[in-house]
């Protein structure tokens, strides 16, 4: 019996151990599941935090966009107010024109009545002459001894000569009167067109000025050994000029010496000049430099980023300028790409005259002349606005007339507009009255006193010819001319050209300049070759994984 009891106890103990092991194993499994659920909950919590951060960033961006939209709406309201004022002015002008037309009609009716009276007087005079002729014939017949036929012939010949003289005199008088009337009417039409539109000429020169009040900012612009200012010149294609009176080294010596400035003394200002013959390039460079001065962060990388952003902003300004001109002239149904070319004319000059302002002036003059002649005003404005559109194309090797015809045909403009573009410099014959109106308006706009300057146009042509010479080489990517053509920077493709070929490219340019371009003095040619590597690293996922590991450890 003792043996059976011991066996029973052993079996019971074994079963008890097994049960305890199962209970411990299940408890461990539950603990593992709970830990896994906790980890998943932590991961979800982190994802929610990340989503909340992104949502907050989106909300912040949306708020800034709303503020910008409010500003845009305020600007549009101001534009609408200006347009309403312009419409009221135009209504007054139209009413005045109607009154003037009524007066003209009355004058024409009076002139017609006078012409009828003159015709009647001439007929009466002719009858009187016939009566006198008959009386003279009878008297001669009574007095003379000639035959009837001979007397008639002599009388008729004399009377014919007198009548011819009288008729010639009257015809010449009428011709002179008609010519005077035509000249009066044409001068009235031109004067009315000029009275309706008068513009002030704004000269777009080749230099923009910026002020810097701090020596440190000027030092940042120049950079160590001129690194920043040289990179700015290379990427913008412009030249930064600092007058000789603003000497940074001299100022640094004064500050390092014993001389001290009083607290109440005024700071000297730096005046920076951004010089370039290309108005668009100069505008982008000026905006870029102004933004860098405001941000106080100047480095080659920052200069490149700000330059790209400013270029995009200027593209938007170009499109906005084209739309503003179209809305001012009330012209619709024009291709969007043609609007961009039209906006580029804001940064183009012709003989010192802004091409967009000139085109707007020609359009308004053409519309006024067409209104006086009873023609389609909108078509005349459209032809006048697009007559110089070919000047928006750069470096195509063609005249602006040929380029403008190609653009008008590409974007399906009417035959009247194409002929106006072709004939406004009399390269092609005008086949419609609108082309003649545009040619006259173009002449009026260009012939105003002080409207154009020949020296600036010759300077721009010389600079463009220098840049075109270097573009003939396939290895050249960019070229910029500075200091009235006395300094040239040439940027070559680093993959196609090695360091040993730079001297060959420089010598080729020298020979071309000597053959084709006449630039007095010495010319400095700088050939630049550089390589740059840009990579993007996304550290957001690494930050998230590090946070997850820290939470798991905790």
């Amino acid at each position: 019996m003792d043996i059976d009891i011991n066996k029973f106890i052993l079996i019971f103990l074994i079963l008890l151990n097994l049960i305890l092991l199962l209970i411990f194993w299940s408890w461990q499994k539950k603990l593992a599941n709970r830990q896994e659920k906790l980890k998943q909950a932590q991961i979800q919590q982190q994802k929610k935090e990340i989503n909340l951060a992104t949502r907050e960033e989106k909300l912040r961006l949306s708020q800034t966009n709303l503020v910008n939209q409010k500003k845009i709406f305020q600007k549009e309201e101001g534009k609408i107010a200006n347009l309403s004022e312009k419409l009221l002015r135009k209504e007054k002008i139209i009413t005045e024109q109607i009154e003037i037309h009524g007066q003209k009609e009355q004058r024409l009716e009076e002139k017609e009545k006078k012409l009828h009276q003159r015709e009647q007087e001439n007929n009466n005079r002719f009858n009187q002459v016939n009566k006198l002729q008959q009386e003279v014939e009878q008297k001669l017949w009574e007095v003379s001894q000639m035959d009837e036929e001979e007397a008639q012939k002599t009388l008729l010949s004399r009377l014919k000569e007198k009548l011819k003289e009288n008729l010639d005199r009257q015809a010449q008088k009428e011709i002179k009167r008609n010519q005077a009337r035509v000249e009066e009417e044409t001068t009235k039409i031109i004067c009315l067109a000029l009275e309706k539109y008068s513009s002030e000429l704004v000269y777009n020169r080749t230099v923009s000025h910026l002020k810097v009040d701090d020596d440190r900012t000027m030092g940042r612009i120049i950079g160590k050994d001129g690194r920043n200012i040289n990179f700015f010149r290379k990427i913008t294609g412009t030249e930064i000029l600092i007058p000789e009176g603003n000497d940074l080294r001299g100022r640094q010596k004064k500050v390092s010496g014993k001389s001290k400035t009083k607290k109440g003394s005024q700071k000297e200002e730096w005046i920076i000049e951004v010089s370039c013959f290309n108005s668009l390039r100069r505008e982008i460079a000026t905006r870029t430099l102004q933004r860098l001065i405001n941000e106080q962060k100047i480095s080659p990388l920052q200069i490149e980023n700000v330059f790209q952003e400013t270029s995009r902003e200027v593209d938007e300004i170009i499109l906005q300028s084209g739309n503003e001109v179209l809305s001012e002239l009330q012209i619709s149904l024009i291709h969007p790409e043609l609007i961009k070319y039209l906006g580029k004319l804001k940064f183009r000059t012709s003989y010192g005259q802004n091409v967009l302002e000139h085109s707007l002036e020609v359009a308004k003059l053409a519309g006024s002349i067409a209104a006086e002649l009873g023609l389609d005003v909108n078509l005349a404005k459209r032809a006048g606005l697009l007559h110089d559109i070919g000047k928006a194309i750069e470096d195509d090797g063609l005249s602006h007339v040929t380029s403008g015809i190609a653009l008008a045909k590409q974007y399906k403009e009417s035959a009247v507009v194409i002929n106006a573009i072709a004939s406004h410099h009399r390269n092609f014959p005008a086949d419609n009255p609108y082309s003649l109106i545009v040619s006259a308006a173009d002449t009026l706009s260009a012939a105003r006193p002080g409207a154009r300057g020949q020296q600036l146009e010759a300077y721009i042509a010389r600079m463009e010819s220098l840049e075109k010479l270097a573009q003939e080489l396939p290895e050249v990517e960019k070229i910029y001319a500075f200091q009235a053509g006395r300094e040239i920077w040439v940027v070559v493709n680093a993959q196609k050209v090695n360091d040993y070929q730079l001297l060959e490219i420089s010598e080729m340019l020298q020979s071309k300049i000597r053959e084709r371009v006449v630039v007095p003095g010495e010319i400095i040619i700088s050939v630049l070759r550089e390589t740059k590597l840009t990579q993007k690293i996304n550290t957001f996922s690494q930050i998230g994984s590090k946070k997850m590991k820290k939470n798991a450890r905790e």
Side-chain angles (χ1 to χ4, degrees):
M1 292 294 290
D2 293 332
I3 294 166
D4 294 332
I5 290 167
N6 291 326
K7 288 180 180 179
F8 179 75
I9 290 167
L10 287 170
I11 293 166
F12 178 74
L13 290 171
I14 292 165
L15 291 171
L16 184 61
N17 288 325
L18 290 171
I19 291 166
L20 290 172
L21 288 170
L22 288 171
I23 291 167
F24 179 75
W25 179 76
S26 64
W27 180 69
Q28 287 288 333
K29 191 173 182 181
K30 287 180 180 179
L31 282 176
N33 290 329
R34 286 179 182 176
Q35 288 179 355
E36 186 67 26
K37 288 180 180 179
L38 284 172
K39 288 181 180 179
Q40 291 179 357
Q42 289 175 355
I43 291 167
Q44 290 178 355
Q45 187 67 23
Q46 289 176 356
K47 289 181 179 178
K48 288 180 181 179
E49 290 177 356
I50 292 166
N51 290 327
L52 286 171
T54 54
R55 288 178 182 176
E56 288 177 355
E57 185 66 22
K58 288 180 180 178
L59 286 171
R60 187 176 64 78
L61 291 173
S62 63
Q63 287 176 356
T64 55
N65 289 327
L66 286 172
V67 172
N68 293 326
Q69 287 179 357
K70 285 181 181 178
K71 292 180 180 178
I72 292 168
F73 285 135
Q74 290 176 357
K75 289 180 181 179
E76 289 181 353
E77 287 177 356
K79 290 179 182 178
I80 290 167
N82 293 326
L83 288 173
S84 63
E85 291 178 359
K86 289 179 181 179
L87 287 172
L88 291 172
R89 292 175 184 172
K90 287 181 179 178
E91 286 179 357
K92 291 180 181 179
I93 291 167
I94 289 167
T95 53
E96 292 176 356
Q97 286 180 355
I98 291 168
E99 292 177 357
I100 291 167
H101 282 300
Q103 293 176 0
K104 285 182 179 179
E105 288 178 356
Q106 290 178 359
R107 290 174 184 173
L108 289 172
E109 289 177 356
E110 291 176 357
K111 289 178 181 179
E112 287 179 355
K113 289 179 181 179
K114 289 180 181 179
L115 288 172
H116 286 299
Q117 290 177 0
R118 287 177 181 175
E119 287 179 357
Q120 289 178 358
E121 290 176 358
N122 289 327
N123 291 326
N124 293 326
R125 288 178 182 175
F126 187 75
N127 293 326
Q128 288 177 2
V129 169
N130 288 328
K131 288 179 180 179
L132 289 171
Q133 182 181 358
Q134 291 176 0
E135 290 176 358
V136 169
E137 286 177 356
Q138 288 177 359
K139 288 179 181 180
L140 288 172
W141 177 256
E142 291 175 356
V143 174
S144 66
Q145 295 178 357
M146 292 189 297
D147 295 336
E148 184 177 356
E149 292 180 357
E150 292 179 357
Q152 286 179 356
K153 288 179 180 179
T154 54
L155 288 172
L156 286 172
S157 62
R158 291 177 181 177
L159 289 172
K160 283 179 181 180
E161 290 177 356
K162 291 181 180 180
L163 286 172
K164 283 181 181 180
E165 291 177 357
N166 293 326
L167 290 173
D168 290 336
R169 289 174 184 174
Q170 289 180 357
Q172 288 178 358
K173 289 180 181 179
E174 290 296 328
I175 289 168
K176 289 180 180 179
R177 288 174 186 173
N178 291 327
Q179 287 178 351
R181 288 173 191 168
V182 170
E183 289 177 358
E184 286 178 2
E185 291 297 326
T186 53
T187 51
K188 284 179 184 178
I189 290 170
I190 292 171
C191 291
L192 287 171
L194 291 172
E195 285 177 3
K196 290 175 187 175
Y197 178 73
S198 62
S199 64
E200 296 180 357
L201 182 67
V202 179
Y203 287 97
N204 286 332
R205 300 181 180 178
T206 60
V207 177
S208 298
H209 297 83
L210 291 174
K211 290 183 180 180
V212 179
D213 298 329
D214 190 3
D215 291 343
R216 292 181 180 177
T217 305
M218 196 62 225
R220 290 173 185 169
I221 292 170
I222 296 172
K224 186 177 180 180
D225 297 329
R227 181 184 64 176
N228 292 339
I229 194 169
N230 288 329
F231 185 79
F232 185 88
R233 288 173 176 173
K234 184 179 72 174
I235 195 169
T236 60
T238 59
E239 184 177 4
I240 296 180
L241 302 175
I242 301 171
E244 294 179 358
N246 293 331
D247 190 0
L248 185 61
R249 294 179 181 176
R251 292 189 180 190
Q252 289 175 351
K253 289 178 182 178
K254 289 180 182 179
V255 172
S256 62
K258 295 182 179 180
S259 62
K260 295 181 180 179
T261 57
K262 296 181 180 180
K263 293 182 179 179
S265 62
Q266 295 180 354
K267 294 182 179 179
E268 295 184 4
E269 290 183 347
W270 291 81
I271 299 173
I272 302 174
E273 295 181 353
V274 181
S275 175
C276 184
F277 72 95
N278 191 319
S279 302
L280 178 60
R281 200 187 298 167
R282 187 178 68 255
E283 181 70 17
I284 295 171
T286 304
R287 288 173 179 267
T288 303
L289 186 58
Q290 185 64 58
R291 188 168 171 182
L292 290 169
I293 293 169
N294 294 333
E295 293 178 356
Q296 293 291 319
K297 295 178 181 179
I298 303 173
S299 65
L301 182 61
Q302 185 70 12
I303 291 169
E304 185 175 3
N305 293 332
V306 174
F307 174 74
Q308 292 175 356
E309 292 176 3
T310 307
S311 298
R312 289 192 290 270
E313 290 176 0
V314 172
D315 289 338
E316 293 177 359
I317 291 170
I318 286 170
L319 185 60
Q320 185 180 359
S321 300
N323 288 320
E324 286 177 356
V325 170
L326 293 176
S327 63
E328 184 175 352
L329 295 174
Q330 296 180 354
I331 295 174
S332 59
L333 299 176
I334 191 167
H335 199 279
E337 292 296 326
L338 207 57
I339 296 173
K340 291 181 182 178
Y341 283 109
L342 191 62
K344 285 183 181 179
L345 295 178
K346 183 178 181 179
F347 301 100
R348 298 287 181 272
T349 56
S350 177
Y351 297 98
Q353 189 179 22
N354 185 277
V355 180
L356 185 59
E357 292 291 334
H358 167 67
S359 300
L360 181 62
E361 185 175 343
V362 171
K364 290 184 177 181
L365 288 171
S368 300
I369 294 170
E372 294 296 328
L373 296 175
L375 299 173
D376 190 349
V377 176
N378 290 326
L379 184 57
K381 287 181 179 179
R382 193 184 190 98
L385 182 64
L386 299 176
H387 81 284
D388 270 344
I389 194 67
K391 292 182 179 179
I393 299 175
E394 295 181 348
D395 299 333
D396 58 349
L398 302 174
S399 66
H400 73 279
V401 175
T402 307
S403 301
I405 294 168
L407 279 178
K409 289 181 179 178
Q410 182 180 357
Y411 298 113
K412 298 179 181 179
E413 287 293 325
S414 63
V416 173
V417 175
I418 294 170
N419 184 255
I421 294 170
S423 62
H424 77 278
H425 282 312
R426 295 176 179 81
N427 296 330
F428 297 91
D431 58 3
N432 59 80
Y434 297 96
S435 299
L436 298 173
I437 290 171
V438 170
S439 180
D442 183 35
T443 304
L444 287 172
S445 176
R448 288 190 296 106
R452 293 189 169 185
Q454 301 289 335
Q455 293 180 355
L456 179 61
E457 188 70 15
Y459 164 76
I460 292 171
R462 186 171 66 249
M463 298 289 279
E464 287 179 349
S465 64
L466 283 172
E467 291 193 352
K468 286 179 181 179
L469 280 179
Q471 287 177 352
E472 294 177 0
L473 300 175
E475 299 87 359
V476 175
E477 286 185 346
K478 295 179 182 178
I479 171 130
Y480 304 115
F482 305 107
Q483 296 182 0
R486 289 184 174 85
E487 185 175 357
I488 301 171
W489 283 15
V490 181
V491 181
V492 298
N493 191 344
Q495 296 179 355
K496 295 181 179 179
V497 180
N498 55 28
D499 292 337
Y500 299 102
Q501 293 175 342
L502 298 179
L503 182 60
E504 296 179 0
I505 294 172
S506 177
E507 290 177 352
M508 291 172 68
L509 283 174
Q510 288 178 15
S511 62
K512 286 189 176 184
I513 290 169
R514 287 169 181 162
E515 290 175 358
R516 303 185 193 177
V517 182
V518 179
V519 179
E522 186 179 12
I523 300 174
I524 300 172
I525 300 173
S526 300
V527 184
L528 307 177
R529 177 184 178 271
E530 64 176 7
T531 57
K532 181 175 69 174
L533 178 64
T534 304
Q535 288 183 341
K536 291 183 179 180
I537 302 172
N538 188 3
T539 59
F540 188 75
S541 61
Q542 294 178 357
I543 294 169
S545 63
K546 287 179 181 179
K547 288 183 179 179
M548 290 170 63
K549 288 179 181 178
K550 287 181 180 179
N551 293 325
R553 289 175 183 174
E554 291 175 356

